[in-house]
Amino acid sequence: MRGVSDRTSTTAPLAATLAALRGPGVQPKALDARALAALAANPGCARRALLDAAGVDKTSVAQALGAPTRFGQSRFAFTRGNAFEARVKADGCAELLRLLGADDAALPDLSAPGPEGRLARTRLALKEAAAAGGWTLLDHPLLALDVAGAPTLLEPDAIAVRPDGSATVIEVKSFPILDGSADAVKVGAAARQAACYVLALEALATPPRHEVLLVCPRDFSNVPTARTVDVRKQLSVTRRQLARLTRIEEIAAALPDGTTFDVTGERLADSVAAVPATYAPECLDSCELAYHCREKSRADGAVQSLGRSLRGELGTLTTIERILSAATGPAGDDDPAATALRRAAALRAEALQEAGCR
């Protein structure tokens, strides 16, 4: 899977602001469906929303801040994935057509100058495929999706348009399907990425199917096999989360003058701190700045650093200091969370006392 990010169609002032945030001469980093799914999973994080919209390389920022990322796809896994996708699409996508159950399919040329040209070519190909009444297979088409007011271009592995005019998103992954099942975590991640593509397809004339085709190696071989994955749940969640994202213009307007995320600048740490972040332990698996944000969250004693579910249960108690104070404080505090904490502290003290007596 590859991703392309293009923001030339944003308003001129916003485009200029985003370019200034990257730094002079810095090209925007591509925002792919993997990053978009992670962004949608944490819509309250203005920091990630702004940096992704500006195309800032968060890996370089994290390294410059002294908190490098510790996740990502290895070079070996990347090479293996490309080799497997090449096999799936060899000989005119013969294996892919077999998995789709199609005897033959049109394979339109989607090449065009620049992202806007490729986007227009994909739209035209989808329109022609829907009217053709046969199978059409689009290899690495380009789709557009609005994210918090900033248009983002996404590139799925493939899209199959069926004789009835409906479109199926195809995700090619290198993790195996063993005895008919695959790792649930990896399948879930693939489903969330595919949901972004389905959302982008919904705005076009070709109606997308809610079942995507996941193509993986079978068992321990390199032979492609496939299973359908229903992404209606992921679609609902992603649609709702993207709608909650603060518009990029609002975040950028609140920044101090001179804010830039240029890793060669002297004010990088101040610029990062100027944008509010919403850290949670889940960020460690999906965001390059997670370790930097975790350090700051722990230093502030934020309850969010212990997990979103705990944060939700504690209501107005937003710091660890406030929690400890409520647990050991007087009974006059009628906050429900404080009452529950005092009760839990009393039960713990009673249990420890009984254990000590024995």
Side-chain angles (χ1 to χ4, degrees), residues 128-149:
E128 293 174 344
W135 283 92
T136 301
L137 191 61
L138 279 64
D139 183 12
H140 283 294
L142 205 58
L143 305 172
L145 182 64
D146 184 274
V147 180

Side-chain angles (χ1 to χ4, degrees), residues 2 7 9 53 56 87 91 93 118 141 143 147 174 178 244 248 254 256 316 322 334:
R2 293 176 290 181
R7 300 174 174 85
S9 52
V56 174
R87 171 162 184 170
D91 301 323
C93 298
R118 291 186 58 207
L143 305 172
V147 180
S174 59
L178 304 173
R244 291 176 55 198
I248 300 303
T316 59
R322 177 77 176 87
D334 58 356

Side-chain angles (χ1 to χ4, degrees), residues 60-226:
S60 298
V61 172
Q63 291 175 344
L65 293 173
T69 181
R70 303 177 193 177
F71 75 93
Q73 192 176 37
S74 69
R75 182 175 300 179
F76 172 76
F78 185 76
T79 302
R80 181 182 60 190
N82 286 342
F84 178 69
E85 183 177 347
R87 171 162 184 170
V88 170
K89 296 180 178 179
D91 301 323
C93 298
E95 285 284 0
L96 195 50
L97 293 176
R98 175 183 65 81
L99 295 171
L100 286 166
D103 296 328
D104 193 15
L107 300 172
D109 182 10
L110 301 180
S111 60
E116 291 296 334
R118 291 186 58 207
L119 178 61
R121 184 69 189 92
T122 296
R123 288 173 174 167
L124 178 60
L126 284 170
K127 184 177 180 180
E128 293 174 344
W135 283 92
T136 301
L137 191 61
L138 279 64
D139 183 12
H140 283 294
L142 205 58
L143 305 172
L145 182 64
D146 184 274
V147 180
T152 298
L153 301 187
L154 303 173
E155 186 176 348
D157 292 326
I159 293 177
V161 180
R162 298 171 179 269
D164 63 0
S166 63
T168 297
V169 171
I170 300 171
E171 274 287 275
V172 181
K173 297 295 183 182
S174 59
F175 59 82
I177 294 179
L178 304 173
D179 294 329
S181 62
D183 184 286
V185 174
K186 294 180 179 179
V187 172
R192 288 189 292 273
Q193 294 172 38
C196 297
Y197 301 137
V198 175
L199 283 177
L201 272 174
E202 286 182 345
L204 302 179
T206 306
R209 292 188 171 217
H210 295 153
E211 298 82 19
V212 304
L213 188 71
L214 179 63
V215 180
C216 300
R218 183 176 64 212
D219 298 328
F220 297 102
S221 69
N222 204 34
V223 177
T225 188

